[in-house]
């Protein structure tokens, strides 16, 4: 039979501590397609919430800065995960090898409770039931995100906003960086009869991108699996240096999130208070990728013609194998997309140069945003 690869690589994305060692040793087989589906299904609330939160806090008034006016604002956003995204049903997906159990519903990262028990369809009528449990939920159904931005007035009722921090190295662990820009324009001035109306109205656009790399994946089956391998390919490296050269140095985990939004904003200032409302559209794309070379264990059950009882030294009717042919390159490239029409309402307090604001954004992934800043002109 053509061997089915058991890819423990999903454990790079979710905590290994959420599974027993015996389950980790047989965790997630089925190839890249099933792996990506599981990754996307489990992490969907985080990907959507993170991308949504990146679109928050671009404005707290419809009135742009005057020429060379500026603001520096620190925002904090909390995106709320809707109840329907706290779990996923395995029966709603088409799997290559994964075999859902009788209870096919499992928590996402934002849900709570234990993960569903699943098995493996080995082909030719060979199946293994209740092979391992999927990761449990965290019980944390929200995604927080802090942000700092700078705005500056440029010309004719227009200002620009920037979100930026240069790529920062995290020692030997990786790096992270972000860049974003926004535009706000008072178009009321161009509409006859609107200029003198007692409120401000503008159009806004914002785009941002965050990327990070984690270099310390360092996956090799013998490091993660607390079960002896009964058949080992002699061509595989045996020393820590050999494993590092062949595998560790090629491996990393990358996270990239890009988001954009556009809004129509109306605001009204009364003394030190400014109330504002908006309607708009926002979209985001969250990508998580596991890159490099990964050696994947293989398992031969007693029902398989290739099973050799003399190799089954564990006596569990499954032969555990490490074979250099079972190597996978760049196994995960998961994308989580989200888009939504939204409305928001907010209030800003301005005391001299100091500003405080709070806003609520209504959509599937509703958001709360608060901020503190300094604003001039």
């Amino acid at each position: 039979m053509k061997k089915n690869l058991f890819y423990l690589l999903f454990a790079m994305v979710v905590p290994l501590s959420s599974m027993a060692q015996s389950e980790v040793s047989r965790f997630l087989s089925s190839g890249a397609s099933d792996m990506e589906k599981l990754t996307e299904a489990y992490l969907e609330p985080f990907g959507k919430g993170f991308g949504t939160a990146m679109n928050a806090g671009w404005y707290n008034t419809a009135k742009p800065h005057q020429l060379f006016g500026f603001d520096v604002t620190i925002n904090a956003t909390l995106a709320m995960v809707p109840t329907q995204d706290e779990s996923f049903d395995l029966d709603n997906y088409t799997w290559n090898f994964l075999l859902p159990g009788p209870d096919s519903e499992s928590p996402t990262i934002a849900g709570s409770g234990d993960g569903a028990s699943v098995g493996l369809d080995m082909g030719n009528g060979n199946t293994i039931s209740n092979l391992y449990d999927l990761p449990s939920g965290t019980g944390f159904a929200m995604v927080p995100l802090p942000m700092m931005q700078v705005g500056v007035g440029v010309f004719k009722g227009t200002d620009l906003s920037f979100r930026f921090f240069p790529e920062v190295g995290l020692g030997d662990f990786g790096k992270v960086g972000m860049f974003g820009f926004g535009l706000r324009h008072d178009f009321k001035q161009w509409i006859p009869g609107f200029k003198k109306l007692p409120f401000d109205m503008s159009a806004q656009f914002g785009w941002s991108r965050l990327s990070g790399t984690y270099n310390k994946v360092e996956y090799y089956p013998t490091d993660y699996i607390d079960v002896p391998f009964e058949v080992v390919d002699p061509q595989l490296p045996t020393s820590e240096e050999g494993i590092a050269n062949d595998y560790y140095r090629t491996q990393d985990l990358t996270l990239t999130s890009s988001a954009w939004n556009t809004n129509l904003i109306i605001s009204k200032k009364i003394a030190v208070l400014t109330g504002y409302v908006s309607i708009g559209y926002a979209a985001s794309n969250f990508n998580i990728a596991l890159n490099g070379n990964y050696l994947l264990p293989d398992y031969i059950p007693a029902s398989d013609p290739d099973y050799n009882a003399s190799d089954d030294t564990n006596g569990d009717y499954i032969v555990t194998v490490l074979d250099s042919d079972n190597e996978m390159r760049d196994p995960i490239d998961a994308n989580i997309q989200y888009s939504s029409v939204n409305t928001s309402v907010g209030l800003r307090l301005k005391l001299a140069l100091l500003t405080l604001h709070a806003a609520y954004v209504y959509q599937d992934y509703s958001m709360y945003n608060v901020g503190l800043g300094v604003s001039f002109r």
Side-chain angles (χ1 to χ4, degrees), residues 31 38 41 80-81 87 138 143 317 337 344:
L38 279 171
M80 312 302 294
V81 177
S87 64
T138 64
V143 181
Y317 301 102
Q337 297 180 332
S344 68

Side-chain angles (χ1 to χ4, degrees), residues 10 13-15 38-50 81 85-88 106-113 115 134-143 286 288 336 365:
F10 191 68
V13 182
V14 296
L38 279 171
T39 303
E40 291 169 358
Y42 183 75
L43 293 180
E44 182 178 62
F46 179 77
K48 287 183 175 180
F50 192 87
V81 177
D85 282 358
E86 292 183 19
S87 64
F88 66 99
S106 192
T108 64
I109 191 173
S112 58
L134 294 181
S136 302
T138 64
F140 193 69
M142 55 190 71
V143 181
F286 178 91
I288 186 166
I336 300 170
Y365 277 69

Side-chain angles (χ1 to χ4, degrees), residues 7 33 61 78 90 118 132 141 175 186 193 202 226 271 288 297 318 343 349 355:
Y7 56 85
S33 176
T61 177
L78 196 62
L90 292 161
V118 297
Y132 55 85
K175 55 190 177 181
D186 172 15
S202 63
D226 193 23
I288 186 166
I318 297 177
T343 59
L349 171 67
T355 64

Side-chain angles (χ1 to χ4, degrees), residues 121-139:
D121 184 350
M122 307 287 288
N124 298 321
N126 296 319
T127 62
I128 304 175
S129 300
N130 302 319
L131 187 63
Y132 55 85
D133 292 336
L134 294 181
S136 302
T138 64

Side-chain angles (χ1 to χ4, degrees), residues 253-307:
L253 182 71
T254 59
L255 182 152
T256 305
S257 184
S258 59
W260 66 272
N261 69 340
T262 184
N263 291 277
L264 172 66
I265 317 163
I266 296 176
S267 68
K268 173 65 177 177
K269 182 178 180 182
I270 301 176
V272 297
L273 293 176
T274 300
Y276 58 97
V277 296
S278 70
I279 183 170
Y281 179 83
S284 64
N285 183 73
F286 178 91
N287 174 269
I288 186 166
L290 192 62
N291 310 300
N293 301 326
Y294 296 85
L295 180 64
L296 309 180
D298 196 10
Y299 297 87
I300 303 176
S303 57
D304 191 282
D306 290 341
Y307 173 82

Side-chain angles (χ1 to χ4, degrees), residues 14-349:
V14 296
L16 283 171
S17 59
S18 66
M19 304 180 69
Q21 283 293 330
S22 60
E23 292 169 342
V24 172
S25 70
R26 299 169 182 172
F27 186 50
L28 291 183
S29 71
S30 64
S33 176
D34 284 1
M35 186 195 309
E36 288 181 1
K37 288 178 185 177
L38 279 171
T39 303
E40 291 169 358
Y42 183 75
L43 293 180
E44 182 178 62
F46 179 77
K48 287 183 175 180
F50 192 87
T52 297
M54 287 179 65
N55 277 322
W58 280 106
Y59 54 87
N60 49 53
T61 177
K63 186 177 181 179
H65 288 296
Q66 299 177 37
L67 183 64
F68 301 131
F70 68 90
D71 74 273
V72 179
T73 304
I74 298 174
N75 289 289
T77 301
L78 196 62
M80 312 302 294
V81 177
T83 302
Q84 65 266 24
D85 282 358
E86 292 183 19
S87 64
F88 66 99
D89 193 333
L90 292 161
D91 286 342
N92 292 336
Y93 297 80
T94 300
W95 306 104
N96 291 330
F97 303 106
L98 190 75
L99 184 65
D103 185 0
S104 61
E105 188 167 324
S106 192
T108 64
I109 191 173
S112 58
D114 296 330
S117 180
V118 297
L120 181 68
D121 184 350
M122 307 287 288
N124 298 321
N126 296 319
T127 62
I128 304 175
S129 300
N130 302 319
L131 187 63
Y132 55 85
D133 292 336
L134 294 181
S136 302
T138 64
F140 193 69
M142 55 190 71
V143 181
L145 182 66
M147 192 78 66
M148 187 178 79
Q149 71 181 46
V150 176
V152 60
V154 287
F155 61 85
K156 202 62 177 177
T158 303
D159 62 17
L160 301 176
S161 298
F162 299 94
R163 295 174 170 181
F164 174 80
F165 60 84
E167 191 170 80
V168 177
L170 305 175
D172 294 333
F173 291 93
K175 55 190 177 181
V176 63
M178 179 181 178
F179 175 74
F181 66 88
L183 171 72
R184 179 174 50 181
H185 179 69
D186 172 15
F187 68 90
K188 184 166 73 81
Q189 62 185 305
W190 307 110
I191 304 176
F194 267 60
K195 185 174 183 179
K196 295 185 178 181
L197 292 177
F199 58 83
D200 296 297
M201 185 166 63
S202 63
Q204 172 270 338
F205 172 82
W207 174 89
S208 54
R209 183 179 188 272
L210 181 144
S211 61
T213 302
Y214 177 67
N215 293 328
K216 286 292 185 178
V217 174
E218 295 188 350
Y219 164 84
Y220 194 72
T222 54
D223 296 332
Y224 280 83
I225 300 173
D226 193 23
V227 173
F229 285 98
E230 295 155 308
V231 178
V232 179
D233 188 338
Q235 298 183 30
L236 293 172
T238 55
S239 68
E240 187 70 17
E241 181 180 359
I243 294 172
N245 287 333
D246 290 354
Y247 294 97
Y248 293 166
R249 69 177 180 83
T250 72
Q251 299 170 352
D252 63 45
L253 182 71
T254 59
L255 182 152
T256 305
S257 184
S258 59
W260 66 272
N261 69 340
T262 184
N263 291 277
L264 172 66
I265 317 163
I266 296 176
S267 68
K268 173 65 177 177
K269 182 178 180 182
I270 301 176
V272 297
L273 293 176
T274 300
Y276 58 97
V277 296
S278 70
I279 183 170
Y281 179 83
S284 64
N285 183 73
F286 178 91
N287 174 269
I288 186 166
L290 192 62
N291 310 300
N293 301 326
Y294 296 85
L295 180 64
L296 309 180
D298 196 10
Y299 297 87
I300 303 176
S303 57
D304 191 282
D306 290 341
Y307 173 82
N308 189 333
S310 63
D311 292 331
D312 189 6
T313 57
N314 293 330
D316 57 0
Y317 301 102
I318 297 177
V319 176
T320 56
V321 180
L322 271 188
D323 191 328
S324 58
D325 290 338
N326 289 349
E327 185 177 282
M328 187 177 288
R329 175 82 180 170
D330 302 337
I332 294 180
D333 185 16
N335 285 287
I336 300 170
Q337 297 180 332
Y338 179 72
S339 61
S340 176
V341 174
N342 61 73
T343 59
S344 68
V345 58
L347 186 67
R348 184 180 81 159
L349 171 67

